[in-house]
Each structure stands twice: as structure tokens, then as C-alpha cells.
Amino acid sequence: MSDIPKADELFKSIDYNPPATGWMDTPVDFSPGHWCYPAKPEKMEYMESKLPGLWGPARQWNPGEADWKLPPNWKEIVVKGFRERLKKFRTLQVFMDICVRCGACADKCHFFIGSGDPKNMPVLRAELMRSVYRGEFTVAGKILGKLTGSRVMEEDVLKEWFIYFYQCTQCRRCSLYCPYGIDTAEMTMMARELMHLVGLNINWIMEPVANCNVTGNHLGIQPHAFKDIVDFMVDDIEEVTGKRVKAPLNEKGHEILFITPSGDVFADPGIYTFMGYLMLFDEIGLDYTMSTYASEGGNFGSFTNNEVMKKLNAKMYAEAERLGCKWILGGECGHMWRVVHQYMDTMTGDTQHAGMTTPRSPITGTVFETSAATKMLHITEFTADLMKHNKLKLDPSRNDHLRVTFHDSCNPARGMGLLEEPRYVIKHVCNNYFEMPDGTTREQTFCCAGGSGLNTDEIMEIRLRGGLPRGNALRYVQEKHGVNTMACICAIDRATLIPLADYWAPGVTIAGVHELVANALVMEGESERKMNLRQEYLPGYEDEEDDWTPPNMEDA
Amino acid sequence: MNALYSLLFVFLLVLIPLFGVDAAHMRTFFGVCIPATAFIIFIVGFVYKVITWARSAVPFRIPTTGGQFRSFDPKLFPQNKLDCPQTGAQTFFRMVLEVFAFRSLFRNTAVSLHQGKDHPIVAYKSSKWLWLFAIVFHYSFFIIALRHLRLFLEPVPFFVNGLEFVDGLLQIGAPTMYLTDVGLVAGILLLMGRRLINPRINYISYVSDFFPLFLILSIALSGIYMRYYAKVDVIAIKELAMGLVTFNYVVPETIGVSFFIHVFLVSCLMAYFPFSKLMHFPGVFLSPTRNMPNDTRAKHHVNPWNDPNIKAHPYADYEKQFGVPMAEAGLPLDNPENGKAPEEKA
């Protein structure tokens, strides 16, 4: 990260005036930092063995070099794949035809706001595909060429796709403002499907995809390691609360299967959110199990192609059937929930076993008709319902040192409409809650700039630029209200918002909603809470640290 | 440059009937053949395109939502029924507002960067200009098109007379000036000005973006010229128009050349329509992110090309691969054999 400019310098470098050359004549920068690393050949070989014909040649290649080692007939493959997808997706066909280039979307993309690169305007990002559509598939485009913004498929075009469709996080903010609802996320998904056909991919997506398939989670955590990690967390919970909670894994005969993104199991601060789930479930005596086989809620297939999305999703129902669970409770995750909400039942509903029922909270008796088809409930819906029925003993004053704001994750906000439940939950466990400015929250929320598989360090500057709108809104509430914590309901957020906040709003900590819940949760028979889940002493107990010598002071 | 090309194109288009009618006396050709052909191209092309769209599958329901969805407790978390519709009726109203009030454009914002005292500021403000220009343009165009029905229908329907009355309410000049004539020209000039002046919009504008604007502008101006300056013989024009719709063609000699220019430009627009971005008009109704209810978790929907052969990595394979460490970690196994190390099995 050493060569990344300081925040002020980066801000000053943003210029919204387009270059003098037309966009088709403006060359693309292929220097390092502008692209993600391609997938390792062994990962692609594995995927080819599982879902053959979707991946192009597995090979070692480098986007910085001129030769991308494409298959000789790459053009036919892409054009044929394009034609097929126009029939398979009305979205693609209609969105190719009806854009009027009014520009309403232009300044809605976080990558454009932070970079000023005109090809990051959603309209132009889509034109990268549309120009080829017109040039290859429409009569007018073939005859009139550039006058209608048409061009034929060439290697430079494909390379441009690779750069810019891996510079879209599929957050759909542009779609909200488009008078026709043109959804660049759909276009990005299609462009990526086409690129996969000729072997253009990135490792940060394909390694998780391969891992999810074989081990169940994107990090490749094997079952015994998964259990070890969970056991560690149970130990830590005991350290903080004096209580040993249950953490059932792969057990049959429970009512509920709980699935969360594996980022919550692995990385700080997701693990605190995971500990929050465990504490909550133990406290209310929930009859549930987790699974090492279906240990990933996040669906990296949705960043790849439909086939993989379906294959990875199918695990959830397969495991519910094997374990005999009646319904599924899902943790805090962004893309997972877009897939669960918009795709799951359509793709894999037929694999649901007959014993599954519409989710019903065993604690409050509430039946969640809104998820009658998928049989899958969002944890903030579940917890909000518990709170509404006063089933939890909470001490929000334990979070009084926190001044909290909430970051709506793009996918639950714009792909689902889940806006109020997380706020309701946070307000029950925190006394100091502040909204970020209008225009940056709820359906207008800004992306963390690391979604859709772009949470990788080699494009850190692009991510930080894309993070400007979110970071700036955060900085605003930090200055105005002293906000020091940003809560979110997405595992990718919990990973990507940390460097973003450090850069644009230093001093703000990122937390999951259920971490805050667990810190406020008064558990039956717990010992006095002196620490939060991060094992930091709560205000008033700091002197507990007195008998501890910082490591660098030992010799002094 | 693109704007200039478009202007030149439209200028050439004006010259064609000018010479064709005045010099070559091809009155029937420009009065009957061209408009009839253009109309056929318009209808066939329009229908063909919409059928092409309709034949593409809608595998998944992917509405873009703006607002709270229907929750387990609609009182505690009230649903935003218009932006996050859950039923057909709610979706219908969302579409009505989209089509008739351009609701998505109404929420448009503009971003700007500022250097604050000690840190940068990204600001957003409501920007309704595009919405206003678009509304003025589309409604004017729509009402003008409806007003033209009086040339094609006998008797003239009451609503057409009503529209004319309201449109000419200010009673400025003689013949009475229509508000929509002003609206249409103003709308086009504003939209065009936006494309020319705003560097970002200019950057994304092709000839195919300017051309329809210039074409419609020339149609409007030729219409205005006919009505207010040339004062063409409306009775004769109605005779020609009625002839077209009753397949009983007549081209009265009293019709001036300005009419032929107007009709030729309209014909060009009709013929151009199905192959251009103007198809956003039917397209807005078919946009899958807007015209479906957000009910995918509650109701089952079918993907016509769902591939049943794609299945999850089988648990049995997983247990075979990781059975030994699973057994050591105390995780339950379906098949205890999987938990035995190879040497134990042997």
C-alpha cells in the first residue's frame, strides 16, 4: 500500500471532465494496480472438472502482458455466448436496446465518483457491451458503425471488458436512478459469464468458488479446522461472559439450520459477529445446528456465472435435507442475501425436502410468511421479532461508549428492501445511534467498493477511490456526532470497510450488528461483563489493565 | 461533431421533399407512398422488436427496490408499496408512476466535490432538470400526437377537441398558439443543450442521440411554420389524411410544399423508430427490474431453462474426503467407515 497517495492527494486528482479523445479511442491503462490477479490454473482445472465447458483454457497468464493466451477461436465463443444470453435473459436483451444515454446514472457509481474515469459511468460501462451488441447483432449498427456507437468484437474490446467489468461491484445503485431500471449489475454478470467462456477470470473469485465447492466455504477451511475455530470462539465467549455456550455442528434432528458467510468464522471483526450469533442462540435455547459442509452463505458463484451460483446454492437445501432441518436461518451477509432472496427458490426450490416449513420462531411463535417459499429467514428479522416480544434481556448501556452509525449493504438494501429491521435491532442495543446523511443510506446507500469478488489488495487504490462516497459520509457523522463505530450486515463489508475507514475516516471501527447485540445481551447466569467481545475493557473497568505491562515496556 | 453530423443529415432530409415536390412534382409519392411505407416499417419493426424482447426468457425476478419490503410485521416496519411492491397491483402502480411521472428520474441527484476546511467533502443535491426537460418534451409530444387525430378521424372525438381547447387556453395570437408547440420546441432545445453543454453527457452522445432530437425539432418547426406562417389548407390535408386511413388515396392540389416536408420528416421518424433508442418507449414496460413484484422469497417462480443436472457437491464425497479428520475432531459422520484411516480399513 506504500505507493497509494494520501487521501487529500487522491481527492485532488479526481477530475470529472472527460478526456479529449472519444471513449472508443481512449486507451486502457493495463499497468499493475488496475487489474486483479488471474486465477491459478489448478483452480480452473478443478472447476472445469466439475462444470465443464464454461471456463476456457486453464493457464498462467498476466493482464499486464500483451498476450493473454486466449483460445484461437475466442471471438466466435464470445459472440455465440452473447447471442445465447440475449435469448436467456430478457434483462440483457432489453437493456441492450433501450438506453437513451440520458446520463442519469453517470454520477451515481462510487467508482466514477472516486475516479472520474468516464468508463466508470454506468452508461459507458454498459456501452462497452452495447457497442459490440450493435456492431455484431443489429443491422443499423452494421451499416452505420461508429455513428450509432457500434464496433465489432476485438481483442482490445475484450481486454477493456476485463478491466471495467472487474471494476463494477454489482451494487445496483445506478439501476435505482435509471428511468428504465437498466441494471448494470446484470450487464456485469453477463460480461463476466462471457469472459469466463474464454478463460478471463480473477483469482479472488475463482479460488473462493473452488473452495466453496469442495470444503463448503470460500476460505477452504476444512471441517476439523472449522470446528477448532468455533471451539476457540466458545472459549473466548466463556472468557468474556463466564458462560460456555453450545455450538452444535453437523448435528442431525434440529429444527433450524444456521448458515452465515464464512468470513464471520475467519476474520476479525466478523468473528465477533459470529460469537454474537452463538451467544444469542444459546441464550434463547434455539434448537439449531450449523454445518461444516454448508459453511458458506456468501455465493461467489453469483460473481461468476449462473451455473456456479446454482451449484453452490444447492448446498443449503441439500444440507437441510441431510440434517432434517425444517428451515434455514441466515447470517449477516450481502450477496448471500441477494442470491437467497432473488435466485434461490427459482434455482434450487425443487431440491427442497418435503419436511421444510415456513419459518416460525420457536421463541415467539411468529410465522414468517414473507419467506414461505425459500424457508429462509434473515437474522435481523429473527432478532427484531425477539426484541419486539421482549424476549431478550438487554443492557444497551454497555454500548454507551459507542456512537454508532449503520451502513446499508447494497444487496439487502436494493435487491431486497431490508432496511428497517437492522436499525430496529441496533437501536435496541445502542443508546447512541446516528444516521449518515440523506442520499447515502437506505436504497441510496454506497458500496464498500469491494463487493462482487473485488475485495483484493492488488487493486487497493481503486477500492479506496470507490470507497470515497461511503468514507466521506462516514467522516461527516464522525465529525458531527462523534461516531466511532459503523455497524453493517455484510461479511464483505466487515472486511473491506476497515481499510476504507482507516483511509477516509480514521478512528472509526467496523462491527457486525450481532456483535453489538451480544455485547448488550444479558445472559442468564453470566458473570459481570468487564470486557466486550473484542476483550477490550468496558468503560469503568479500564483499571483492570493496570497489572498488565505492554510488551514494548518490559525492558524499560 | 456528432451534433453537426445530425444537423447535416436532417438538413439533407428536408431537401428531399423540397425538390421532390416542387421540382419533380412527385406529390403522390411524397403524399401517399412514403408515409404509407414508413407506417408499415414502423408497425412491423415495432412489433418485431417487442416480440424479440418477449421471446427472451425472464429466468429470475430481480426488481430493483427502493424502500422497505413487506416485513413479518407490516405495522412495525411499514412496507414502501410503490418502490418495493409485493403484489401485482402495487407493481402496476409503480409502473404507472414510472411511465406517466418519470419517477426514477425525479429522484435524480448531482454529485459535486468540495475542499472542506481540513478534509474533502462529497456533496449530493437534488437535480430535477433532466426530469423537467423530459416531462415537458414527452407530454408536449404526446398531446400534439393526440391532437393530430382530428385529421384522421371523422367525427372528431370529444377528447381531441377538449385537448385542443385546453392546449390553446391562453389564446395568444391567431391562429391560437398551442402551449404544447412551445413545450415541444423548448423541451428539445433544453435536452439538446444539455447534451451539448454538459461535458459528461456530451462524451456519451452519438450521432444516434442527436439525430432524433434534430429530426423531431425539424418536424415541430415545419408544423409550426405550416400552421402559423404558411397557413396551409387544413381541409385539403384532412382529405388526404382520411384518404390514407380509408385506403382511398387523394392528393389535393391546394396543399403547399411545407406540408410535404412535414410529412416526409414524420415518415423518416416512423421508419427510424424501431431501429433506434426511441424503442425505450415500449421498452420501459418490459424492464424486468421494474415490472415484477419483489416476492421471490414468498412465492415460487420458474426459470424456463433451469438445468436440473447442476447439483451440489455431494455430502457423501465431502465426508469421504474429510472423514478421518472429522472423526478425530468429534464431528458426527453419516458413514463411520469414512472416519477410519486407510491403514485401519486394511
Side-chain angles (χ1 to χ4, degrees):
Chain A
M1 274 180 67
S2 56
D3 52 349
I4 289 177
K6 290 209 161 59
D8 277 354
E9 291 165 39
L10 188 147
F11 182 80
K12 282 185 192 122
S13 75
I14 304 170
D15 180 6
Y16 288 162
N17 287 309
T21 47
W23 69 264
M24 284 190 202
D25 307 316
T26 307
V28 181
D29 189 349
F30 288 102
S31 55
H34 289 83
W35 34 264
C36 308
Y37 299 148
K40 294 170 189 153
E42 67 265 26
K43 299 294 167 193
M44 298 318 298
E45 277 157 20
Y46 174 76
M47 287 317 296
E48 177 67 22
S49 75
K50 295 295 167 190
L51 284 167
L54 296 170
W55 310 105
R59 70 211 187 281
Q60 202 86 46
W61 63 287
N62 179 351
E65 289 168 9
D67 182 8
W68 287 19
K69 299 176 188 165
L70 293 164
N73 59 339
W74 71 267
K75 187 179 164 174
E76 288 96 285
I77 298 172
V78 171
V79 172
K80 181 168 165 275
F82 204 152
R83 186 173 284 118
E84 281 169 11
R85 278 160 187 78
L86 288 167
K87 293 215 167 57
K88 283 171 84 178
F89 297 91
R90 189 181 298 168
T91 41
L92 183 64
Q93 176 69 62
V94 171
F95 296 163
M96 286 291 122
D97 284 322
I98 66 172
C99 175
V100 298
R101 290 171 290 282
C102 70
C105 59
D107 58 355
K108 305 305 179 286
C109 174
H110 50 284
F111 283 122
F112 176 75
I113 293 175
S115 74
D117 184 343
K119 286 175 190 169
N120 275 329
M121 297 192 284
V123 49
L124 205 39
R125 197 189 305 280
E127 282 296 317
L128 303 181
M129 264 187 111
R130 251 185 231 121
S131 56
V132 173
Y133 165 77
R134 286 190 291 259
E136 298 281 349
F137 302 120
T138 71
V139 181
K142 277 182 181 153
I143 298 169
L144 297 170
K146 265 195 171 180
L147 297 183
T148 58
S150 311
R151 56 181 180 175
V152 291
M153 195 68 209
E154 277 167 7
E155 200 165 317
D156 285 348
V157 173
L158 188 70
K159 288 181 172 180
E160 194 181 38
W161 282 15
F162 179 78
I163 296 293
Y164 287 100
F165 288 109
Y166 285 106
Q167 234 176 95
C168 165
T169 46
Q170 307 182 350
C171 80
R172 306 175 102 209
R173 191 169 189 268
C174 48
S175 173
L176 181 74
Y177 295 90
C178 175
Y180 316 113
I182 295 174
D183 182 3
T184 307
E186 277 289 289
M187 241 88 82
T188 297
M189 289 163 104
M190 294 305 126
R192 290 186 182 181
E193 287 202 1
L194 295 176
M195 286 192 284
H196 278 299
L197 293 177
V198 291
L200 297 191
N201 44 50
I202 67 171
N203 197 58
W204 219 89
I205 292 177
M206 293 319 298
E207 186 159 342
V209 161
N211 285 344
C212 285
N213 198 52
V214 63
T215 61
N217 56 71
H218 86 269
L219 298 153
I221 307 167
Q222 298 186 4
H224 51 292
F226 194 94
K227 182 167 190 306
D228 273 353
I229 297 170
V230 173
D231 286 345
F232 268 121
M233 287 195 267
V234 170
D235 289 344
D236 279 359
I237 292 170
E238 190 173 12
E239 177 90 19
V240 173
T241 68
K243 281 199 71 170
R244 193 146 186 96
V245 298
K246 281 194 298 252
L249 273 170
N250 295 2
E251 290 178 10
K252 288 188 180 178
H254 293 289
E255 183 183 4
I256 298 161
L257 173 62
F258 178 69
I259 299 177
T260 198
S262 62
D264 284 352
V265 187
F266 175 73
D268 180 346
I271 50 170
Y272 309 120
T273 310
F274 193 90
M275 287 153 76
Y277 307 139
L278 296 180
M279 288 161 64
L280 175 72
F281 299 156
D282 190 83
E283 180 60 19
I284 59 176
L286 196 69
D287 180 22
Y288 83 106
T289 184
M290 297 176 288
S291 161
T292 61
Y293 163 76
S295 51
E296 176 67 81
N299 192 323
F300 283 73
S302 69
F303 315 145
T304 313
N305 56 36
N306 269 278
E307 289 79 3
V308 178
M309 178 169 22
K310 176 173 177 175
K311 188 168 174 61
L312 297 183
N313 187 269
K315 248 182 198 179
M316 298 200 188
Y317 285 139
E319 190 65 341
E321 175 164 19
R322 188 182 75 85
L323 299 175
C325 298
K326 285 186 183 159
W327 56 275
I328 307 172
L329 185 58
E332 299 177 12
C333 186
H335 290 97
M336 159 182 168
W337 273 98
R338 182 163 177 220
V339 174
V340 166
H341 182 78
Q342 296 192 326
Y343 298 93
M344 181 168 178
D345 185 60
T346 311
M347 283 187 305
T348 56
D350 55 327
T351 63
Q352 226 181 60
H353 73 98
M356 291 191 85
T357 57
T358 301
R360 178 186 163 278
S361 171
I363 317 302
T364 66
T366 303
V367 179
F368 295 88
E369 294 292 347
T370 45
S371 46
T374 55
K375 319 284 194 283
M376 187 150 176
L377 194 63
H378 194 283
I379 181 128
T380 60
E381 296 176 277
F382 179 76
T383 307
D385 176 61
L386 292 174
M387 290 172 166
K388 180 194 145 194
H389 288 94
N390 281 320
K391 295 293 179 187
L392 301 178
K393 204 172 164 205
L394 299 166
D395 179 3
S397 72
R398 283 187 201 155
N399 285 324
D400 273 356
H401 58 297
L402 303 182
R403 300 177 72 78
V404 183
T405 191
F406 177 65
H407 163 70
D408 288 276
S409 310
C410 305
N411 285 290
R414 278 186 289 270
M416 214 174 152
L418 182 85
L419 305 176
E420 296 306 328
E421 287 88 342
R423 288 178 165 78
Y424 182 84
V425 171
I426 294 171
K427 285 174 188 168
H428 270 77
V429 296
C430 297
N431 288 321
N432 309 309
Y433 177 76
F434 307 92
E435 285 285 352
M436 282 182 281
D438 279 351
T440 71
T441 57
R442 293 192 165 83
E443 67 272 5
Q444 298 186 63
T445 186
F446 275 106
C447 184
C448 64
S452 88
L454 306 186
N455 176 20
T456 175
D457 287 354
E458 62 262 24
I459 54 161
M460 188 51 95
E461 184 177 331
I462 289 173
R463 283 172 50 195
L464 292 173
R465 285 180 177 276
L468 168 65
R470 172 44 76 230
N472 201 258
L474 180 60
R475 177 76 180 246
Y476 176 85
V477 284
Q478 184 188 25
E479 298 220 318
K480 188 167 181 198
H481 303 295
V483 160
N484 56 16
T485 304
M486 176 152 64
C488 60
I489 48 167
C490 172
I492 289 185
D493 283 339
R494 282 191 279 277
T496 57
L497 289 175
I498 292 172
L500 190 156
D502 286 347
Y503 191 78
W504 290 114
V508 177
T509 308
I510 311 301
V513 169
H514 278 76
E515 177 189 345
L516 303 177
V517 171
N519 276 325
L521 184 70
V522 180
M523 299 172 80
E524 208 182 309
E526 68 177 10
S527 52
E528 189 189 9
R529 293 266 191 110
K530 296 175 179 168
M531 294 183 283
N532 63 17
L533 287 176
R534 300 183 186 213
Q535 305 205 14
E536 300 156 348
Y537 283 97
L538 293 170
Y541 295 97
E542 292 95 338
D543 51 348
E544 303 273 335
E545 283 178 280
D546 281 357
D547 57 349
W548 177 75
T549 315
N552 58 346
M553 298 293 284
E554 274 163 4
D555 300 331
Chain B
M1 245 355 235
N2 283 340
L4 222 57
Y5 282 139
S6 307
L7 181 64
L8 193 68
F9 273 142
V10 174
F11 189 67
L12 290 174
L13 288 179
V14 173
L15 290 182
I16 294 172
L18 197 62
F19 285 105
V21 174
D22 252 15
H25 303 290
M26 299 163 75
R27 297 177 70 86
T28 310
F29 181 72
F30 283 99
V32 177
C33 303
I34 292 266
T37 313
F39 186 70
I40 292 168
I41 295 174
F42 172 71
I43 294 293
V44 172
F46 190 99
V47 170
Y48 175 79
K49 195 83 220 183
V50 172
I51 289 177
T52 310
W53 291 342
R55 282 171 63 183
S56 282
V58 185
F60 304 110
R61 305 214 147 199
I62 51 156
T64 305
T65 64
Q68 174 69 30
F69 69 174
R70 189 183 155 78
S71 166
F72 68 93
D73 187 339
K75 276 208 192 100
L76 193 57
F77 308 114
Q79 180 199 353
N80 184 333
K81 289 180 182 160
L82 280 177
D83 284 324
C84 208
Q86 186 98 21
T87 66
Q90 291 165 4
T91 313
F92 177 78
F93 282 113
R94 182 187 205 196
M95 285 302 288
V96 165
L97 282 173
E98 202 56 73
V99 171
F100 288 101
F102 298 6
R103 198 146 175 272
S104 295
L105 266 189
F106 193 72
R107 70 172 122 226
N108 193 30
T109 58
V111 72
S112 54
L113 303 179
H114 307 269
Q115 188 58 54
K117 242 187 290 170
D118 53 351
H119 66 88
I121 293 166
V122 189
Y124 316 90
K125 66 170 194 302
S126 171
S127 171
K128 301 206 184 324
W129 294 115
L130 178 56
W131 175 85
L132 182 72
F133 299 171
I135 280 274
V136 167
F137 168 76
H138 282 88
Y139 269 98
S140 297
F141 203 163
F142 181 57
I143 291 168
I144 289 171
L146 284 182
R147 278 206 278 104
H148 276 68
L149 281 179
R150 84 188 169 107
L151 297 172
F152 298 93
L153 297 171
E154 189 60 51
V156 177
F158 72 96
F159 72 90
V160 174
N161 287 326
L163 267 182
E164 283 193 16
F165 174 72
V166 175
D167 206 352
L169 207 57
L170 290 186
Q171 300 201 350
I172 300 170
T176 310
M177 189 187 75
Y178 287 127
L179 295 174
T180 48
D181 288 0
V182 179
L184 184 62
V185 172
I188 294 171
L189 291 177
L190 291 167
L191 289 171
M192 207 185 288
R194 189 175 165 272
R195 266 193 200 284
L196 288 169
I197 292 162
N198 184 325
R200 288 205 297 266
I201 311 302
N202 192 276
Y203 196 67
I204 53 172
S205 297
Y206 306 128
V207 168
S208 54
D209 293 305
F210 286 109
F211 175 68
L213 286 173
F214 278 109
L215 186 58
I216 295 169
L217 180 65
S218 64
I219 290 171
L221 293 179
S222 62
I224 288 169
Y225 176 78
M226 261 162 53
R227 178 175 161 81
Y228 299 98
Y229 300 98
K231 308 218 163 139
V232 290
D233 184 349
V234 181
I235 310 282
I237 289 173
K238 175 139 188 177
E239 208 179 323
L240 187 148
M242 289 304 293
L244 280 174
V245 288
T246 56
F247 304 106
N248 187 13
Y249 310 114
V250 273
V251 186
E253 281 302 315
T254 51
I255 299 177
V257 70
S258 57
F259 168 77
F260 290 97
I261 293 175
H262 186 67
V263 167
F264 183 75
L265 295 171
V266 172
S267 302
C268 290
L269 184 68
M270 283 198 292
Y272 176 73
F273 199 103
F275 310 101
S276 69
K277 70 170 197 175
L278 302 177
M279 286 301 280
H280 68 273
F281 162 52
V284 65
F285 295 93
L286 275 98
S287 177
T289 52
R290 292 282 192 272
N291 67 10
M292 294 186 290
N294 177 32
D295 63 355
T296 27
R297 255 198 316 153
K299 275 189 198 149
H300 180 67
H301 302 284
V302 177
N303 170 1
W305 47 262
N306 199 15
D307 184 353
N309 298 317
I310 297 173
K311 293 201 165 71
H313 179 66
Y315 174 81
D317 291 0
Y318 174 86
E319 200 178 276
K320 258 185 211 137
Q321 188 176 353
F322 299 113
V324 175
M326 280 173 84
E328 279 170 12
L331 288 165
L333 294 177
D334 278 3
N335 178 1
E337 283 297 304
N338 287 331
K340 290 180 187 162
E343 55 274 16
E344 281 180 75
K345 284 183 197 162

